Amino acid sequence: MDSPILAQLFRQLFRHRPAGCQNRLAHAVRPRHHGYSGSFQRQHRRAYASRVSIDRGMKTNESRWQQRTHILPRDRSDEFAQYPYISAAELKQRTERPRRVKMLLRDFIDDSLYNPSYGYFSKQAVIFSPGEPFDFAAMRDELDFQSELGRRYTEFEDALDDAEGENPTRQLWHTPTELFRPYYGEAIARYLVSNYRLTTYPYHDLLIYEMGAGRGTLMLNILDYIRAADPQVYARTKFNIIEISPSLAAMQNKHLRATAESRGHSDKVEIINRSIFDWDQYVPSPCFFLAMEVFDNFAHDGIRYDVATEAPLQGHVLIDGDGDFYEFYVHELDPLAARFFRVRHAATGGQYPKPYPANPALRYLSTKMPFAANLSDPEFIPTRLMQFFDVLEKYFPAHRLLTSDFDALPQAVRGLNAPVVQTRYERRMVPVTTPLVHQGYFDILFPTDFRITEAIYRAITGKLTRVMSHGDFMRRWAYVEDTQTRSGENPLLSHYKNASVLVTV
């Protein structure tokens, strides 16, 4: 058990078992703040894990449901051979969590986050809105901002409790768009307008696509700014939101029509409720594609390497009849993972991090250590991200990408490029140590290696890019004095030191 609060969480979950998960449980949660620093962030993180049951022959000091050092664990190898594979497409059709099946780890993660019936973003996530924009000039320093943010967070959740009843497992998170409204959106708008006027104006409209738009706040802030600052460009602007979550798409639609500042924007906006990975419409016109804090929730494949031969093995998840999870690694790579290795190697010239010693002598010595594992630590490879770049190259050939995401994350699980897995319980974040968690209750958040990501994006699309820190981007495009406190500290710059921005040039 990771901590005493997990025991409380499990008891709560057993008292209120969701449909389709009787006789088992695995829970954890994280808050979706972006930039984990300060006391406020420590109060709002999240996590999940699975129940204890009969060991079925495994050693008492081993996890029953996550195999770390065996290619095919003996106690579950028969079931692994017998259980049918289930794909991501088949999982989308399910209304209850599957049992007696096996799947790739990336399909398990995708199902946990995005299943229409029980996925985290479909059913669990609530986006925090601070209400009126913060008056940064009236604040003494960053601690003053943290205090005010914590107060508004509490008020927001108290109001939810009054309206919906208390919910100890409510998943509440925030984004920089909401915290720094409208200044964050205005910075993005200045970038868009400036680059549009330098490139395709007046021959093409300003065509914008945003993926993962949350409450739709960024869209409204961008459109408000363009309308006020450049009416000529606003007359040529069309904004499209691509949203996989039906509930978030409905919220965006409601926000667009109900918000006073959004009056007049309705004819500028289309909300498309579908996954970007199901996209099939060719868009030949020049466009800007926004993906702000989206890469972190793209599903990854788990890979371990044979320490002796460096051969990769791909991670699979077995779910038994009790709904418990087991990790298996097999030598045969599926076509997507195999292609990722080819593309990454070609794009980087073979220069990329590995989760084992590069020196053969050190690898040999590592296998001779007492209790040495026969496989390396896991590496989590962004296969879904590569598929996203394929969609851009195939259907949006004239796009320009603007994306921001975390380049490092604290409290990640073990491994290279490993995720933070957490849940929120009684208004506190609870991290856990594995991505094999009860589907739909945990946020699974990956860092982005922007050096590798930039190389793969260039290789697939043929476009040139630039990567910069979040702070450098904001210093160039935001009016940073709008978010500066009296002491000179600036939360817009300091809160996201672990984030980077990639743009197509």
Side-chain angles (χ1 to χ4, degrees), residues 176-177 180 182-188 218 292-293 404 470 474 492:
T177 297
F180 301 105
Y183 314 115
Y184 185 89
E186 290 175 354
I188 303 299
L218 181 61
M292 314 307 288
E293 300 172 27
S404 176
H470 175 270
M474 287 298 159
L492 176 63

Side-chain angles (χ1 to χ4, degrees), residues 296-417:
D296 52 10
N297 285 124
F298 277 168
H300 287 48
D301 270 295
I303 302 291
R304 291 180 187 256
Y305 297 84
D306 187 308
V307 178
T309 66
E310 299 184 78
L313 293 86
Q314 189 168 7
H316 296 67
V317 179
L318 179 145
I319 306 177
D320 70 7
D322 292 328
D324 290 330
F325 309 121
Y326 298 82
E327 257 185 314
F328 286 80
Y329 287 85
V330 299
H331 282 282
E332 184 178 357
L333 301 180
D334 87 304
L336 183 60
R339 178 171 173 256
F340 177 87
F341 281 110
R342 295 194 301 270
V343 171
R344 181 177 66 173
H345 187 84
T348 64
Q351 301 300 310
Y352 48 85
K354 301 177 177 67
Y356 55 86
N359 186 293
L362 291 178
R363 285 203 307 276
Y364 175 79
L365 290 175
S366 70
T367 64
K368 301 304 178 183
M369 299 293 289
F371 309 108
N374 59 339
L375 299 179
S376 73
D377 282 344
E379 176 187 11
F380 296 88
I381 59 172
T383 37
R384 270 300 208 186
L385 179 57
M386 182 182 69
Q387 286 185 303
F388 170 62
F389 293 157
D390 289 337
V391 171
L392 292 182
E393 190 276 332
K394 182 177 181 180
Y395 294 110
F396 301 87
H399 79 274
R400 298 183 67 172
L401 178 64
L402 169 59
T403 183
S404 176
D405 229 308
F406 300 112
D407 49 48
L409 288 170
Q411 295 188 304
V413 307
R414 185 174 180 177
L416 178 61
N417 199 40

Side-chain angles (χ1 to χ4, degrees), residues 181 215-217 219-221 224 227 251-266:
R181 174 173 63 90
R215 294 169 54 89
T217 302
M219 165 195 68
L220 293 175
N221 293 160
D224 286 343
R227 181 172 59 186
M251 181 191 300
Q252 292 151 10
N253 214 354
K254 180 180 179 181
H255 200 196
L256 174 65
R257 284 155 179 77
T259 305
E261 294 87 344
S262 71
R263 291 173 185 166
H265 295 324
S266 296

Side-chain angles (χ1 to χ4, degrees), residues 34-35 37 41 134-146 149 176 179-184 187 190 470-498:
H34 295 317
S37 63
Q41 279 82 350
F134 292 101
D135 185 0
F136 292 95
M139 295 179 179
R140 182 182 64 255
D141 52 22
E142 193 165 334
L143 287 176
D144 201 9
F145 167 71
Q146 294 276 14
L149 177 57
L179 291 191
F180 301 105
R181 174 173 63 90
Y183 314 115
Y184 185 89
R190 289 187 195 99
H470 175 270
D472 286 345
F473 181 88
M474 287 298 159
R475 288 184 185 95
R476 179 169 183 179
W477 296 106
Y479 293 159
V480 292
E481 59 270 18
D482 290 337
T483 55
Q484 185 170 296
T485 63
R486 296 200 307 271
S487 68
E489 293 176 309
N490 196 317
L492 176 63
L493 304 179
S494 61
H495 265 51
Y496 298 96
K497 291 182 179 179
N498 62 333

